[in-house]
Amino acid sequence: MSETTPDHDALRQRVQTSLDRQGMMRQLGVRLLAVAPGMVTLALPYSDRVTQQQGGFHGGAMGALADIAGGYAALTVAPEGMEVTTVEYKINFLAAFQGGELQATGRVVRGGKRIIVTTAEVVHVAPDGQRTDCAVMQQTLVPVPKTY
């Protein structure tokens, strides 16, 4: 699909509508950067709301961003009328950073009817644009009926 097809626009709107319903992500200032079938990229800006005691991005904020990016990648392959929920994830933290923003890209590894497996890579983007690996995650999700 090209970025200008109606299907791409509908997929992006599906993800954005769901993201808008997430109070925690709104509070943290998470933005949707990119959507494609099986892939979503989100950004989390640095602020005092996402730091640990030493001033770096908190691991919980990194984990939440990775979880949401992987989850929305899964949503792009889930049938209409379904949502997804995380069953488990494992994350490796590679480095800690201050300033700039984190960007997490979730990708579907296997999109099945009963389970969806994704990965997410989290990178730190410094104010000068330098990109450095920050964390990697693998996750298992299940499709669930939409309840709203």
Side-chain angles (χ1 to χ4, degrees), residues 86-146:
T86 302
V87 174
E88 64 84 32
Y89 73 79
K90 185 230 186 283
I91 190 164
N92 292 100
F93 299 107
L94 307 175
F97 295 93
Q98 296 179 350
E101 72 178 13
L102 299 180
Q103 292 182 4
T105 299
R107 289 185 174 82
V108 172
V109 174
R110 170 109 171 131
K113 291 180 183 177
R114 295 179 192 215
I115 66 166
I116 302 170
V117 176
T118 70
T119 61
E121 296 174 350
V122 182
V123 298
H124 175 258
V125 181
D128 67 3
Q130 181 176 347
R131 299 172 69 85
T132 309
D133 292 338
C134 193
V136 292
M137 179 210 67
Q138 181 172 314
Q139 127 191 92
T140 304
L141 304 105
V142 295
V144 295
K146 189 186 277 188

Side-chain angles (χ1 to χ4, degrees), residues 49-90:
R49 290 179 284 187
V50 296
T51 59
Q52 36 84 313
Q53 73 280 5
Q54 297 168 328
F57 279 98
H58 193 286
M62 286 186 241
L65 186 66
D67 175 42
I68 297 303
Y72 283 132
L75 184 65
T76 69
V77 300
E80 283 295 325
M82 299 294 280
E83 287 282 336
V84 295
T85 192
T86 302
V87 174
E88 64 84 32
Y89 73 79
K90 185 230 186 283

